[in-house]
Amino acid sequence: MQQELGVPVVSAKDVEQAVAEADIVCTVTAAAEPILRGAWGASRHALESCRLRLGRPSEVDNDLVVHSRFIADSREGVLQQGGEFLRAKAAGLVGDDHIVAEIGQVLAGEIEGRRSPEEITVYKSLGHVVQDLASGWALYSEAKINP
């Protein structure tokens, strides 16, 4: 992958080590329990794409949801099926207004995405592949310009 993409690629022994130095984390697992933890404080962008499954949210813990600038592919979709968001909402930790934007609004420049290098941005995708690709390409392009 390193040769094909022209970017450094490394392996890690576990998830925490893998995200420790990462600028962008993309999870596409079938995890039934969170695999990314806000307490690690490492990831600055987390793109994840799991739906609510049998009432069991997955991949991202409440701490990461609460401490993130939360952007959705579809606000309506996340309010209905965004497992991690809905779990944090049910715990009384966030409200609907915690979703600050849809990704199209960010890409169009209508709403600011990440506002500082320290800010954690979570992009919740429920399966709009065109938006996933556009978002990933925008982040990748920005990382190449401003490493």
Side-chain angles (χ1 to χ4, degrees), residues 37-61:
R37 308 221 176 265
W40 296 341
S43 62
R44 297 293 179 242
H45 296 278
L47 291 81
E48 44 92 17
S49 61
C50 278
R51 296 177 185 262
L52 185 64
R53 285 185 295 280
L54 303 174
R56 290 179 13 155
S58 61
E59 295 192 320
V60 174
D61 72 1

Side-chain angles (χ1 to χ4, degrees), residues 42 47 64 73 78-79 83 87 111 118 123 125 127 132-133 141:
L47 291 81
L64 188 56
D73 62 349
V78 170
L79 292 174
R87 183 183 60 201
I111 297 177
E118 295 76 30
Y123 168 55
S125 172
D132 292 346
L133 293 171
S141 298

Side-chain angles (χ1 to χ4, degrees), residues 53-89:
R53 285 185 295 280
L54 303 174
R56 290 179 13 155
S58 61
E59 295 192 320
V60 174
D61 72 1
N62 283 347
D63 190 46
L64 188 56
V65 171
V66 169
H67 292 100
S68 70
R69 182 160 176 82
F70 204 94
I71 298 169
D73 62 349
S74 162
R75 183 181 310 272
E76 181 73 22
V78 170
L79 292 174
Q80 291 179 13
Q81 297 182 7
E84 293 82 359
F85 178 83
L86 292 174
R87 183 183 60 201
K89 181 179 173 182

Side-chain angles (χ1 to χ4, degrees), residues 63-145:
D63 190 46
L64 188 56
V65 171
V66 169
H67 292 100
S68 70
R69 182 160 176 82
F70 204 94
I71 298 169
D73 62 349
S74 162
R75 183 181 310 272
E76 181 73 22
V78 170
L79 292 174
Q80 291 179 13
Q81 297 182 7
E84 293 82 359
F85 178 83
L86 292 174
R87 183 183 60 201
K89 181 179 173 182
L93 301 172
V94 298
D96 292 355
D97 62 341
H98 191 65
I99 303 171
V100 298
E102 290 185 344
I103 194 64
Q105 295 171 298
V106 174
L107 295 175
E110 298 169 11
I111 297 177
E112 195 172 14
R114 186 172 175 216
R115 301 168 295 184
S116 75
E118 295 76 30
E119 186 169 57
I120 296 172
T121 305
V122 169
Y123 168 55
K124 176 63 178 178
S125 172
L126 291 166
H128 297 279
V129 70
V130 168
Q131 292 174 341
D132 292 346
L133 293 171
S135 301
W137 183 254
L139 291 170
Y140 174 75
S141 298
E142 178 66 24
K144 285 190 78 166
I145 293 169

